[in-house]
Amino acid sequence: MAAVDDLKFQEFDDAANLLAANPDATTISIEEPAEVPKNQHSRLHQPGREEDDELLGTDDSDKTELLAGQKKSAPFWTFDYYQTFFDVDTYQVLDRIKGSVFPVPGKNFVRLYIRSNPDLYGPFWICATLVFTIAVSGNLSNFFIHLGKPTYHYVPQFRKVSIAATTIYAYAWLVPLALWGFLMWRNSKVMNIVSYSFLEILCVYGYSLFIYIPTAILWIIPQKVVRWVLMMFSLGLSGSVLVMTFWPAVRDDNRRIALATVGTVVLLHALLSVGCLAYFFDAPELDFPAPIIPAHNGTAVVTKS
Amino acid sequence: FAGLADVSISEEIPVEGQITVPVGSHSPDEDGSTLDEPVRETIMRDLKAVGKKFVHVLYPRKSSTLLRDWDLWGPLVLCVSLALMLQGGSADSKDDGGPQFAEVFVIIWFGAVVITLNSKLLGGTISFFQSLCVLGYCVLPLTVGMLVCRLVLLAGSGTISFIIRLVVVLAMFAWSTLASTAFLADSQPPNRKALVVYPIFLFYFVISWMILTFTPQ
């Protein structure tokens, strides 16, 4: 059991939690390390928040962090190290995608689906697909909008692919980096119960972008109302996945900082979708027949707009 | 070993003889013997290998010669000819036209490298260059499709020509994807096949899109 003690003290935030709240927690923890954190939190919080333990997964957070440490034991300059990030099967990737599209209220995406096996396959290929989907859909939608006009000459607009790629990859990989840095910094000031590794944050962001792929395809429809409804819907779904993931991580912090963090996450997400809609998809012009102006002498003059 | 220190052959005993290696039935690919052949033979041998692989792609059967003797000449030729054929498109301003030569090149080679890395990271057993070779050679149907599209566009660029081009590009896209999947799918772990095939699908989809949206000046 000395090994368990050693392992326990490596996780400073958990140990600090236990020691701060209950000085004799260590004796209990030797026998049942998995149960003490749970009892700890149900004592600290109101009894009606058991679902939060499920949400946080604190009963296996120790084990998952240890397992994560044990998995990636190859040095980072070997190929095997990077292979550990692609250790997913087809059905796992599909499950994660399903979890990001149908967020279950109260369930944390990371704890439920990632379960200490974050992968880089999903984020990378979902971003690649999204880049090409947005570029192709934007091009198609512009083509259909301007179809009848005599002055319109179709151009493939290939430049937009590189712009789309830069934007989406920067969002999906730099914002998680910034968020992870921020959470680590807050973790050092306030003992947070839940802390995510960088890869897990990357995973959540990558999989939460999946809903935009069908949205971008449906954005071909040249109706403004339809486009905005679609955007609200997809923003709601992916935003809720992000919020439900990150709210437990900042909940114990200063109220204003917690709200500001979650608000920034949602705001950046909204900016991405609004920006993509505005830049890649031309505004659909109103397409009703030209108005007929009755002239004085009774003939109708049709003006083309 | 002290006794061996003064072992030497005295100068009165001549040492002579012949050291020859019996040539016999060695393959002609032995290092020394291809140096003397005429250049035409060397080039023809490589060309024949490339041509054989083209035929393998056009009629994909599971054959291991494509995988074993990889070469990148075929992919290079295909990539350059595809990129050249995609030039001369509509470019009202430099920014809005089709892909530049360098962009096509980068997309094909960078895309092939990324797909190969992806399949290796997922646990595939194929070697890096073999996979590049297969992906590059399977661009052949799309290059043929591009040639057909340009010929059709010479005839006219109305709706009928668009429909013909659409059908041709769709058929070539399916052919490329199926050909490369036939070669590559066996080297993947069975429960990750879809994860490896999807990027190949995306890769050929992007190339097909570039071909389909080519509009002449």
Side-chain angles (χ1 to χ4, degrees), chain A residues 126-144:
Chain A
I126 291 178
C127 288
T129 311
L130 187 61
V131 163
F132 289 113
T133 310
I134 284 194
V136 167
S137 303
N139 201 234
L140 267 181
S141 129
N142 292 350
F143 172 69
F144 286 131

Side-chain angles (χ1 to χ4, degrees), chain A residues 225-241:
Chain A
V225 174
V226 170
R227 285 181 178 177
W228 278 90
V229 163
L230 280 170
M231 180 165 73
M232 289 294 136
F233 183 64
S234 54
L235 184 61
L237 278 183
S238 56
S240 65
V241 169

Side-chain angles (χ1 to χ4, degrees), chain B residues 56-58 60 134 138 141 174-184:
Chain B
H56 272 283
V57 169
L58 287 179
V134 169
C138 290
W175 198 343
S176 284
T177 311
L178 288 174
S180 60
T181 310
F183 288 118
L184 290 178

Side-chain angles (χ1 to χ4, degrees), chain A residues 12-29:
Chain A
F12 281 115
D13 44 357
D14 289 316
N17 264 340
L18 295 172
L19 287 176
N22 190 354
D24 60 1
T26 47
T27 52
I28 306 173
S29 74

Side-chain angles (χ1 to χ4, degrees), chain A residues 87-90 121 129 159, chain B residues 95-96 103 191-192 195 198:
Chain A
D87 196 15
V88 278
D89 292 336
T90 310
Y121 178 88
T129 311
R159 272 287 171 275
Chain B
D95 285 342
D96 254 3
E103 283 170 340
N191 46 353
R192 296 179 181 182
L195 294 184
Y198 171 70

Side-chain angles (χ1 to χ4, degrees), chain B residues 13 17 20 25 27 32 38 46 61 72 74 79 96 103 112 117 130 152 157 179 181 195 209-210:
Chain B
I13 307 175
T20 50
S25 54
S27 68
D46 279 338
R61 288 160 313 204
L72 293 178
C79 180
D96 254 3
E103 283 170 340
L117 278 179
Q130 280 173 354
V152 167
S157 57
T181 310
L195 294 184
W209 177 256
M210 288 196 295

